[in-house]
Amino acid sequence: MTTLNDELASVAAALSRSTVQIQDRRFGGGSGVIWQADGVIITNAHVVRSDRPTVKLADNRVLDAVCTNRDRLQDLAVLKVDATDLPAAPIGDSDTLRVGQLVFAVGNPLGITNALTTGIIHAVSPKKQPGTWIQVDIRLNAGNSGGALADTQGKVIGINTAIAGGLGLAIPSNIVERFLRRGTVKPYLGVTLQPVAIGRRYRRRLGLLILAVQAGSLAESAGLLTGDVLTGVAGRGFTDISDLAEALWQFSPGDLLQLNLIRAGKSAIAQIQIPDKSGAVAA
């Protein structure tokens, strides 16, 4: 038991070193996680509403930060401080999480610095797009927002974001990683869609009928036309109307997205080149 206690205390101490206090002079503050040793910090968008908050490290240094990216839809923000060799948190794979798994939350709730609470994973959404949550049976309070949700090895597997129905909600770490890779690029196809049933009478499947294509969009550049029916991505058929959005949110800059479709009754494929960070224009 002593060995177990020592191990858990060591994990807690390491997580605390990678957790920061964020102060937004006009709007309050919360917590953040040192994601990269070169000064990249992840937090919630609702924690930093201004572009220049301050960050207090575990060693009591107070640094000016710049918000380099903020996405209110995902409730994520990236801060950059002028520092190197920071104690970055190890990042885990949120796709491997299991219901019932023991987890830790570290943050700065109610004015308490680097408080730690424990709980278990209650549920994990099967989707991997904005609105995907890790639901945790754990005690969180105001100030925990933007802090780490970690496994028993001290690997960060989520960013604590909200409380709903007595459960903590965290953004999975893999979604955070995709958010960082994309930068300010927005995964927007640029089409108006309507769900339709396609196929034979007893083998119906879901299709997405294109009602309109926005000028200058990724869809137009890929040659998609009004009247096309999208049927899947990379050979995998749609089973839910959110499948296309999920596929788009999983892209990385430079990826090639293959859309399966039906045009004039015949199967076809459209190739969409996801823009890189420098050449992307969000539609």
Side-chain angles (χ1 to χ4, degrees):
M1 181 62 71
T2 300
T3 300
L4 177 60
N5 287 337
D6 289 344
E7 290 178 354
L8 294 180
S10 177
V11 168
L15 287 170
S16 294
R17 288 192 293 272
S18 300
T19 301
V20 303
Q21 290 179 278
I22 296 173
Q23 292 295 327
D24 191 317
R25 293 178 181 85
R26 293 181 57 193
F27 302 103
S31 304
V33 179
I34 301 174
W35 210 264
Q36 296 174 8
D38 61 357
V40 173
I41 295 169
I42 295 293
T43 186
N44 292 137
H46 76 262
V47 170
V48 283
R49 301 183 192 180
S50 68
D51 292 332
R52 292 187 174 275
T54 58
V55 170
K56 185 176 182 180
L57 306 181
D59 61 10
N60 291 322
R61 281 185 291 168
V62 177
L63 304 175
D64 291 328
V66 176
C67 183
T68 61
N69 193 9
R70 184 192 296 112
D71 190 319
R72 291 182 175 85
L73 176 62
Q74 297 186 82
D75 199 11
L76 287 172
V78 180
L79 303 182
K80 188 69 170 67
V81 296
D82 187 11
T84 57
D85 297 326
L86 295 180
I91 310 303
D93 181 0
S94 57
D95 287 348
T96 64
L97 298 178
R98 297 173 297 169
V99 172
Q101 184 175 335
L102 180 65
V103 290
F104 299 136
V106 179
N108 305 292
L110 305 176
I112 301 173
T113 303
N114 287 333
L116 182 141
T117 54
T118 62
I120 61 170
I121 293 179
H122 179 267
V124 181
S125 171
K127 299 298 180 183
K128 300 177 178 64
Q129 63 189 71
T132 297
W133 301 108
I134 305 169
Q135 296 182 354
V136 188
D137 189 357
I138 199 169
R139 185 179 180 85
L140 298 177
N141 283 296
N144 276 115
S145 290
L149 184 72
D151 61 21
T152 53
Q153 294 179 313
K155 294 182 178 181
V156 175
I157 44 85
I159 295 294
N160 296 313
T161 301
I163 306 166
L167 296 173
L169 301 180
I171 302 167
S173 58
N174 288 355
I175 286 182
V176 178
E177 290 281 13
R178 285 194 290 273
F179 174 70
L180 275 172
R181 289 197 300 268
R182 278 197 308 270
T184 57
V185 179
K186 304 297 183 183
Y188 187 77
L189 189 58
V191 290
T192 302
L193 299 171
Q194 176 180 307
V196 293
I198 57 177
R200 297 180 179 178
R201 181 178 180 184
Y202 297 107
R203 298 184 63 183
R204 293 290 191 183
R205 54 197 175 98
L206 176 65
L208 300 175
L209 172 65
I210 297 179
L211 300 178
V213 177
Q214 185 171 334
S217 66
L218 291 178
E220 184 183 59
S221 67
L224 293 177
L225 303 173
T226 299
D228 288 346
V229 179
L230 305 181
T231 60
V233 176
R236 296 184 62 181
F238 296 135
T239 59
D240 187 271
I241 58 175
S242 65
D243 287 347
L244 177 59
E246 179 180 346
L248 287 171
W249 279 104
Q250 290 186 28
F251 86 90
S252 293
D255 283 354
L256 192 65
L257 185 68
Q258 184 184 83
L259 288 177
N260 303 99
L261 59 98
I262 296 174
R263 175 176 295 168
K266 296 182 179 181
S267 296
I269 292 175
Q271 303 276 6
I272 295 181
Q273 182 73 46
I274 303 300
D276 61 24
K277 294 182 182 181
S278 60
V281 176

